[in-house]
Amino acid sequence: MWKKVVFFLAWVGIFLLSIIGISYIIMPSYFVQVDTASLIFKFTALNICLVYFFISLLKLLSNFSKKDGYTIKNENGIINISSDSVRNLLKEVLSRDHDVKAMKIESGKRGSKFYVSVTLEILSNANIADKTVAIQNSIKEELRNKLDLNVDIVEVKISKLSIRKDSMV
């Protein structure tokens, strides 16, 4: 949330600076009346410059520190797991379920929490609420057992639901 607030303030500031710049070029007579030697003007300009300086430093440092995948610390050391490994494991888990026909898997970090978002096409006669809970639990268990990865958020979205037609024998 903090990054979104900083990002929003940065864009609002850039927008205001561009409007002021355009206004200064189009109507310079209005800006001649501003006393640039006053202490209030200097403090205002200094604060704006400092805010944008710190925002640029934060953005610069965050670009170099962003990591793809997951880092898990345990008693033996640090384990780095790529997002592709997580997706491939989840594809295997979901392909075991005969009711799942198509899937789209996204995974990553939101803040300090790990998340998995799965969009599915299901062909089933079973209760959908129970089915999605079972899928969520199986995803959490497989990631915990196989990769020692504790997932905080598992979102299951159903893009297409079809009723299975039982064949008459």
Side-chain angles (χ1 to χ4, degrees), residues 1-50:
M1 180 65 183
W2 167 250
K3 288 182 182 181
K4 290 181 181 179
V5 170
V6 170
F7 185 76
F8 174 75
L9 290 176
W11 279 106
V12 167
I14 290 169
F15 177 74
L16 289 175
L17 288 174
S18 65
I19 295 296
I20 291 171
I22 291 169
S23 301
Y24 182 73
I25 290 171
I26 295 173
M27 303 173 289
S29 61
Y30 290 110
F31 290 94
V32 174
Q33 299 170 356
V34 176
D35 183 20
T36 58
S38 72
L39 192 60
I40 294 173
F41 180 81
K42 288 181 181 180
F43 275 125
T44 304
L46 177 67
N47 286 330
I48 290 171
C49 291
L50 286 175

Side-chain angles (χ1 to χ4, degrees), residues 48-65:
I48 290 171
C49 291
L50 286 175
V51 165
Y52 278 96
F53 178 73
F54 286 124
I55 288 173
S56 63
L57 280 180
L58 284 173
K59 187 62 180 166
L60 183 67
L61 293 176
S62 69
N63 278 343
F64 292 116
S65 66

Side-chain angles (χ1 to χ4, degrees), residues 5-144:
V5 170
V6 170
F7 185 76
F8 174 75
L9 290 176
W11 279 106
V12 167
I14 290 169
F15 177 74
L16 289 175
L17 288 174
S18 65
I19 295 296
I20 291 171
I22 291 169
S23 301
Y24 182 73
I25 290 171
I26 295 173
M27 303 173 289
S29 61
Y30 290 110
F31 290 94
V32 174
Q33 299 170 356
V34 176
D35 183 20
T36 58
S38 72
L39 192 60
I40 294 173
F41 180 81
K42 288 181 181 180
F43 275 125
T44 304
L46 177 67
N47 286 330
I48 290 171
C49 291
L50 286 175
V51 165
Y52 278 96
F53 178 73
F54 286 124
I55 288 173
S56 63
L57 280 180
L58 284 173
K59 187 62 180 166
L60 183 67
L61 293 176
S62 69
N63 278 343
F64 292 116
S65 66
K66 188 172 184 178
K67 296 177 185 174
D68 186 33
Y70 304 94
T71 302
I72 302 170
K73 296 178 185 175
N74 60 17
E75 65 274 357
N76 297 328
I78 297 174
I79 302 169
N80 293 317
I81 301 171
S82 70
S83 296
D84 290 335
S85 298
V86 172
R87 280 189 218 106
N88 288 336
L89 178 64
L90 292 178
K91 282 182 184 178
E92 277 186 40
V93 169
L94 293 172
S95 65
R96 291 183 216 150
D97 191 344
H98 299 293
D99 292 340
V100 176
K101 296 302 172 196
M103 64 194 87
K104 180 182 171 191
I105 301 168
E106 295 177 15
S107 65
K109 275 182 100 174
R110 289 183 185 153
S112 62
K113 296 182 178 184
F114 296 120
Y115 79 93
V116 173
S117 178
V118 181
T119 305
L120 303 172
E121 291 183 14
I122 294 181
L123 178 65
S124 177
N125 287 336
N127 185 345
I128 300 304
D130 293 338
K131 184 74 175 169
T132 56
V133 169
I135 290 171
Q136 285 175 325
N137 290 335
S138 67
I139 288 172
K140 279 188 172 186
E141 286 299 317
E142 284 292 323
L143 290 176
R144 187 178 305 119

